[in-house]
Every structure is written in structure tokens, then in C-alpha cells.
Amino acid sequence: MPVEQSADGRKVWQKRNRREQLVSWASWFTGVAVFVACWQQISESTTWFFVWDAPRIAGDILTRATPPKWLYITQLWEPIWDTLNIATLGTLLALLLAVPTAFLAARNTTPSKAFIRPVALLIIVSTRSINSLIWALLLIAIIGPGVFAGVLAIAIRSIGFCAKLLYEAIEEIDHKQVEAITATGASRWQVMAYGIVPQIMPAFAGVAVFRWDINIRESTVLGLVGAGGIGLQLSASLNVLAWPQVSLILIVILFAVVLSEWVSAKVRGAII
């Protein structure tokens, strides 16, 4: 029988539950077995010489990248501007598509729970499940490389995120306000405009700012696959091993991310 200590230090005997104990031991055994199997698989596919040599390589790269090539900053203004435009335009386009999708997915606003709502939910899931880099690769193959492909990749990736949060906010509204407006004889569109939209506007603004902040981060790496922005400069510098340029680009990216975080925090604070 298991023994536990009481608050005053006395032993408290408890009846052993054999089923719970067997389940606990089985869970621990299964977890350890899975960990060992995964570790064995990783070990077989890992070249450990490079792992042990990684600190030396990292130190060598850090030495080569220091100090950053500050004069290269003149060539980064346009790429970082493209990155900001990709994030901003992609977010705006996503919101334009996410709002109607959210209304079609919400139970209390969808015209059809049997047909339209599943389609809207499918759009939300499919756009969220594929990373923006994969969308960028697909779009580059279709429309060619450039900023436009990056904007579309960010927009498609953001639709599901924004629509999911918005349709959840729509389903959680206060239905008493909707019933009060409906009782006045208002039409369906008037009920939506005066009973639902005002209630979800704070959530809409918060989602928009939060997603823009995320898209700033994602748009910085889209250039690695040819979708424009500062990532294109980063890819070019990495290809020629121009480490001082790489360190400067990373500093610029860090500054842009910190600035976007500060802006989004101020906007969210003003909204809330």
C-alpha cells in the first residue's frame, strides 16, 4: 500500500489502485520506448563529427561576420521597404477575404450549416495548414518570382488565421443585442451591421494588428525562395559567403521585427 506524509508529518496509508498503477507504468514505459526509438533513428541519420565541430564552425562564422558591413545599408532600404509592403498588403488582402469567410463559417451567421459552413471551414483549415514558404514556392512556379508572389503567399496563409479567430468571436457575441435589433423589424443585413459588427470590431482590430506583426516576421524569409523582400538580399549574401553583409541584414531584420512588435503593442493597447 502506498504511503504519503500528512501535514503534521504522520504517515497516511492509502489503498493501492492496481488499475491506475498499471496504466501509469504502461504510460511511462511507452513514453520511454518512443523516446529511445526516436533517438536511435536520429542518431543513425546524424553525422556526429559535424555536431561536435559545430562550436568551432560557429565561432569562425562569428569572427568572419564581425564587424558588420555598415556601408551595405544603402542597398537594404528598398528590400526592407518591400518586406514591409509584403506584410502590410498581404494582411489587408487576407482581411478582405477572411471577413466574409468568417461570417460564412460562424453558426449564427452562415446561410447554410449543411453546405456553406463546411466549405468555409475547409478554406480556413486548408489555408492555415500550409506554411507561407510553401505557398510562395507554389506561387512563384505559377506567376513567377517577385514581390507580388510574396504578397499573395502572405495573404493566403493569413486567411485561415484571421477567419478562425473572427468566426469564434462572432459565435461568442451577446445575442440579446441581436434579438433587440431583430425585434425592431430590421433586415438581415441591418442586424449584421448594427447588432454583430460593432461587437466584433475590437476583436477584428486586435486580430488585424496581431497578424500584421506575425507577417512582418514571415515576410523577411520569403526572399529565400525568390518572393522578394530583404530575404532575397540575405539569400544572395549567404550564397557568396559575405558574412559581414549577412550580419548587417540580420540586424536590420531584428530592428524591423522589434519595431513592428512595438507598433502592434501600442495599437493593441489603444484598442483594449
Side-chain angles (χ1 to χ4, degrees):
M1 298 179 70
V3 181
E4 292 186 359
Q5 293 289 337
S6 63
D8 56 0
R10 293 182 303 173
K11 293 182 178 180
V12 179
W13 295 88
Q14 294 182 346
K15 186 177 180 180
R16 184 190 303 273
N17 189 323
R18 183 174 297 277
R19 182 177 180 181
E20 291 181 359
Q21 193 171 33
L22 289 175
V23 170
S24 177
W25 279 106
S27 300
W28 277 103
F29 178 78
T30 302
V32 172
V34 171
F35 175 80
V36 171
C38 293
W39 179 256
Q40 184 178 5
Q41 183 70 25
I42 293 173
S43 299
E44 292 176 355
S45 58
T46 301
T47 305
W48 290 105
F49 169 77
F50 294 106
V51 175
W52 307 132
D53 197 43
R56 184 188 66 82
I57 299 297
D60 180 63
I61 292 176
L62 181 61
T63 302
R64 294 170 182 268
T66 307
K69 188 177 180 181
W70 298 108
L71 294 178
Y72 190 66
I73 193 69
T74 56
Q75 302 184 39
L76 298 180
W77 296 120
E78 184 175 351
I80 195 64
W81 178 247
D82 289 341
T83 297
L84 294 174
N85 285 331
I86 290 172
T88 304
L89 295 177
T91 304
L92 292 175
L93 182 58
L95 290 173
L96 290 176
L97 299 174
V99 170
T101 304
F103 277 98
L104 295 177
R107 290 185 178 88
N108 52 340
T109 57
T110 183
S112 173
K113 294 182 180 179
F115 299 103
I116 297 179
R117 186 171 187 270
V119 173
L121 292 176
L122 177 62
I123 294 174
I124 292 174
V125 172
S126 59
T127 54
R128 289 177 63 239
S129 60
I130 301 177
N131 191 271
S132 56
L133 280 175
I134 300 177
W135 282 120
L137 286 170
L138 293 174
L139 290 167
I140 287 171
I142 297 173
I143 63 177
V147 174
F148 185 59
V151 172
L152 292 181
I154 289 293
I156 296 174
R157 167 67 170 165
S158 303
I159 291 173
F161 178 90
C162 298
K164 177 177 174 57
L165 295 179
L166 286 177
Y167 96 74
E168 290 177 351
I170 294 172
E171 291 182 345
E172 295 173 358
I173 62 173
D174 184 5
H175 295 282
K176 293 181 180 179
Q177 298 184 28
V178 177
E179 293 173 358
I181 296 175
T182 304
T184 64
S187 65
R188 182 183 181 89
W189 293 105
Q190 289 174 328
V191 171
M192 187 176 297
Y194 297 104
I196 299 177
V197 173
Q199 295 190 61
I200 66 169
M201 281 304 296
F204 173 80
V207 169
V209 175
F210 184 51
R211 188 63 213 185
W212 176 78
D213 184 25
I214 295 174
N215 287 340
I216 290 291
R217 293 167 171 80
E218 293 195 357
S219 61
T220 57
V221 298
L222 291 183
L224 295 175
V225 295
I230 198 169
L232 194 61
Q233 300 295 117
L234 178 61
S235 177
S237 298
L238 286 172
N239 290 336
V240 297
L241 303 180
W243 298 113
Q245 295 178 190
V246 171
S247 61
L248 179 62
I249 293 172
L250 294 178
I251 291 173
V252 172
I253 291 175
L254 177 62
F255 177 78
V257 170
V258 171
L259 181 61
S260 68
E261 179 69 25
W262 179 80
V263 172
S264 63
K266 289 293 184 181
V267 174
R268 286 199 299 268
I271 295 170
I272 296 175

